[in-house]
Amino acid sequence: MITTAQSPVKFNPFVPGFREDPYTTYQGLRQQNPIHYTFDMWIVTKYQDIIQVLNSDAVSVNYIPQYVVQQKVGDIPGLVELGKGAIVFTDPPDHARLRRLAGQAFSNTNINAHTAYVQQLIEELIAPRIQEASFDFAQIAHQLPLYTLAHLLGIPHEYIKTIDQYIHRVRSILEPSLLTKMRIRRIEEDLQACLAIFQEIIDYRKTHLGDDLLSKLIQARVGEDRLSDSELSIACVMTFVAGHETSKGLLTNGILAFIQHPKQWQIFREGKATNKQVINEILRFDPPLQQTVRLAVSDLQVGSEIIHKGEKMLLCLASANRDEDQFDNPDTFDITRDAAAQIAFGHGIHNCLGQMIARLEGQLLFTYLCERVQEIRLSNPDYRWHPEGFITRTLTYLPVTFIPAA
């Protein structure tokens, strides 16, 4: 894209090539036009500006539910309840209440207790593929978080395929630019069907408590307060909606990064970087959650601009993770760096509650491969990014070959 001093680069995810390489555009925005108004919203691209907004009491996360209701598509009780009962869409004080209750289940201790299952699942998915000449790693990256989440929540196996189909369509609620009236109606239908399945599972689980996270959500208490059945069902839906695609993106984007930077794979195999460093650098370099939306509930200044009450902001998390003022050589994939400051899972009170699940899957998968695979190659250069949406970034096709370790 050619720009002049009179026409600085503007955010436009619909231009050809953006999906394949958003980072060149992000760099141009940070350098020429770090905060600007387009597509009826403010685009924010600098790390410190985004941190300021995420920490601000002057913004709300409830934009997407409000947008859905404003479309006036008819009776959408499921989506209305989702807006009221999902942690990701609620503001204080409701957010703090839900987080206190849900946090009792989604603790590091509870999630790490399922490490052995995830390790076994990785073995079952990966071991048969190591000797294959070529296979689609995106299929593995889809199955691993799907079955991990189902196991963590205690979902019976016979429900998994149906839930996967519904969640695949419901997750488009995170892409407001794609929400036509027809699509909203279809999401409502799928959401209602999905909520009904989870309610059936919840009814059973109440009298058959186990070590799964759903049982712990059912038992969570703060004084006399607990999660209602509706809130429990919504928590299950959002665990899959928010947890599956981001975990898949972490795995596929990480494998592609190592393919494109083979020396980094050897550094990892030589023990010169920890699992935590590897995951943080993958999340910094090519995060599965690229952007997030906020709505101003009162005026605030961001950079040199005044954001007025009622105006929307698109916070480009992926751009912040490549900000030259925050990270040295930000366009270099370097697993030995300290990338703990990356904000791929958000920041502040709305940082992702379930990020430990994605981190666990990533750490265990890359450790498994590190011990068994000498080199990772593309078996076909025709890898493909998800064709719809821009909020999330993940590969739908990634043909690879593993060269086994000697």
Side-chain angles (χ1 to χ4, degrees):
M1 180 182 297
I2 299 175
T3 61
T4 67
Q6 288 72 39
S7 58
V9 61
K10 285 192 174 184
F11 176 77
N12 185 356
F14 301 102
V15 297
F18 180 86
R19 195 181 307 278
E20 292 72 24
D21 175 24
Y23 298 103
T24 299
T25 297
Y26 289 144
Q27 182 184 54
L29 291 171
R30 289 192 306 273
Q31 294 175 355
Q32 298 181 38
N33 210 7
I35 177 168
H36 64 279
Y37 198 81
T38 187
F39 291 112
D40 194 32
M41 64 178 66
W42 287 97
I43 311 300
V44 187
T45 61
K46 294 286 290 181
Y47 183 94
Q48 290 300 334
D49 290 340
I50 291 174
I51 291 291
Q52 175 199 337
V53 174
L54 292 175
N55 284 334
S56 176
D57 294 332
V59 301
S60 167
V61 297
N62 200 240
Y63 162 67
I64 292 177
Q66 288 187 39
Y67 175 87
V68 169
V69 171
Q70 290 167 0
Q71 298 310 297
K72 299 179 181 178
V73 297
D75 193 25
I76 50 171
L79 286 169
V80 170
E81 285 302 306
L82 191 71
K84 294 178 180 177
I87 293 176
V88 69
F89 295 137
T90 52
D91 298 316
D94 294 333
H95 173 81
R97 170 187 169 267
L98 290 171
R99 185 132 189 158
R100 281 194 298 270
L101 288 164
Q104 295 178 29
F106 286 83
S107 68
N108 292 353
T109 300
N110 288 340
I111 291 169
N112 287 332
H114 298 271
T115 295
Y117 171 84
V118 182
Q119 288 175 323
Q120 179 183 350
L121 179 59
I122 289 171
E123 172 76 25
E124 293 173 357
L125 291 172
I126 297 292
R129 304 300 185 94
I130 289 181
Q131 300 294 336
E132 291 186 11
S134 175
F135 70 95
D136 180 11
F137 182 80
Q139 292 183 2
I140 301 293
H142 180 90
Q143 293 171 317
L144 177 56
L146 175 65
Y147 285 97
T148 296
L149 291 171
H151 170 79
L152 288 172
L153 287 172
I155 305 300
H157 192 273
E158 61 267 25
Y159 290 101
I160 296 176
K161 184 177 180 181
T162 302
I163 289 172
D164 185 31
Q165 293 172 343
Y166 286 135
I167 292 296
H168 176 71
R169 296 188 289 267
V170 172
R171 69 159 293 277
S172 60
I173 191 71
L174 300 177
E175 299 278 358
S177 63
L178 304 178
L179 294 180
T180 63
K181 291 184 178 181
M182 180 177 293
R183 194 159 199 166
I184 291 172
R185 285 195 291 268
R186 289 176 178 172
I187 291 172
E188 171 69 16
E189 293 173 2
D190 291 331
L191 176 60
Q192 289 285 11
C194 201
L195 289 171
I197 290 174
F198 283 125
Q199 186 59 59
E200 184 177 332
I201 296 169
I202 289 165
D203 290 341
Y204 173 82
R205 189 59 65 199
K206 283 181 177 180
T207 56
H208 299 79
L209 294 171
D211 292 329
D212 55 273
L213 300 190
L214 177 54
S215 292
K216 295 185 184 302
L217 284 171
I218 291 170
Q219 298 174 86
R221 296 288 188 278
V222 175
E224 296 298 317
D225 191 19
R226 64 180 180 84
L227 294 170
S228 67
D229 281 6
S230 174
E231 290 168 340
L232 288 167
S233 298
I234 288 170
C236 291
V237 168
M238 291 309 299
T239 297
F240 277 94
V241 167
H244 183 266
E245 200 71 12
T246 51
S247 294
K248 179 181 177 180
L250 168 62
L251 302 178
T252 58
N253 299 8
I255 288 292
L256 181 61
F258 276 121
I259 290 172
Q260 295 174 334
H261 303 84
K263 290 184 179 179
Q264 294 299 306
W265 184 249
Q266 295 309 313
I267 288 172
F268 185 34
R269 296 198 70 229
E270 291 167 4
K272 297 178 181 178
T274 66
N275 288 332
K276 186 175 182 179
Q277 283 179 296
V278 168
I279 299 304
N280 277 336
E281 179 62 358
I282 292 170
L283 290 169
R284 185 201 68 81
F285 185 74
D286 199 5
L289 181 63
Q290 293 269 301
Q291 303 146 12
T292 188
V293 182
R294 293 293 187 271
L295 181 71
V297 293
S298 60
D299 293 356
L300 72 157
Q301 182 167 350
V302 181
S304 61
E305 302 290 346
I306 300 296
I307 314 297
H308 294 287
K309 179 180 178 180
E311 294 183 329
K312 302 183 293 291
M313 287 165 279
L314 185 72
L315 309 179
C316 298
L317 304 176
S319 175
N321 280 348
R322 298 274 191 113
D323 191 337
E324 300 82 356
D325 293 335
Q326 183 66 31
F327 300 98
D328 294 334
N329 302 313
D331 294 321
T332 299
F333 181 61
D334 177 7
I335 63 171
T336 66
R337 79 163 79 229
D338 179 4
Q342 56 78 25
I343 53 173
F345 286 117
H347 175 80
I349 65 171
H350 281 96
N351 69 324
C352 179
L353 182 63
Q355 64 175 283
M356 272 301 300
I357 300 173
R359 287 181 177 275
L360 179 66
E361 292 166 352
Q363 289 176 0
L364 294 178
L365 175 73
F366 286 110
T367 295
Y368 181 90
L369 293 177
C370 181
E371 295 171 352
R372 294 164 177 80
V373 175
Q374 178 177 328
E375 185 180 350
I376 309 172
R377 301 174 182 170
L378 280 177
S379 56
N380 182 329
D382 185 31
Y383 60 86
R384 293 191 289 273
W385 295 99
H386 195 289
E388 289 189 343
F390 307 100
I391 295 292
T392 57
R393 175 174 167 82
T394 184
L395 289 147
T396 57
Y397 178 58
L398 182 59
V400 304
T401 299
F402 289 153
I403 307 301

